Amino acid sequence: MIFNFFKKLIKYYVDKFISWVRIKRFNLELDNDIKKYHEELDKKIKKPVIKEVGKFGEDGWSISIGDIDKDE
């Protein structure tokens, strides 16, 4: 009777551990896929280049005027 209890208890915790490992592996794969997607997206999108920076008003407010560099 006690042997069956320990056997079920061990089986339960082994199943929980396996489930946890599967979830961790899935999350790692998902993070890698998201990282690859963002790297590919960054290659496609051109970032604006700041042409001029000026200050106006009080308390250090500033504005940046930028344009996408068409030469790259």
Side-chain angles (χ1 to χ4, degrees):
M1 185 166 139
I2 282 215
F3 180 73
N4 283 336
F5 172 74
F6 285 120
K7 185 177 177 181
K8 287 180 182 180
L9 188 67
I10 291 171
K11 183 181 181 319
Y12 174 78
Y13 282 111
V14 167
D15 289 342
K16 284 289 187 183
F17 178 74
I18 290 172
S19 298
W20 179 78
V21 168
R22 286 180 180 162
I23 290 171
K24 286 294 185 182
R25 189 181 77 195
F26 175 74
N27 287 338
L28 182 63
E29 290 174 357
L30 188 62
D31 288 343
N32 287 337
D33 289 344
I34 290 171
K35 185 177 177 182
K36 287 178 186 177
Y37 174 77
H38 282 277
E39 288 172 356
E40 290 175 10
L41 191 61
D42 286 342
K43 289 177 185 177
K44 291 179 183 178
I45 296 176
K46 294 190 178 191
K47 309 242 182 211
V49 177
I50 296 175
K51 298 287 185 180
E52 181 180 340
V53 177
K55 291 196 176 227
F56 65 95
E58 299 176 8
D59 298 328
W61 284 81
S62 65
I63 187 170
S64 298
I65 301 171
D67 191 18
I68 296 176
D69 192 13
K70 293 178 175 66
D71 295 334
E72 290 182 3

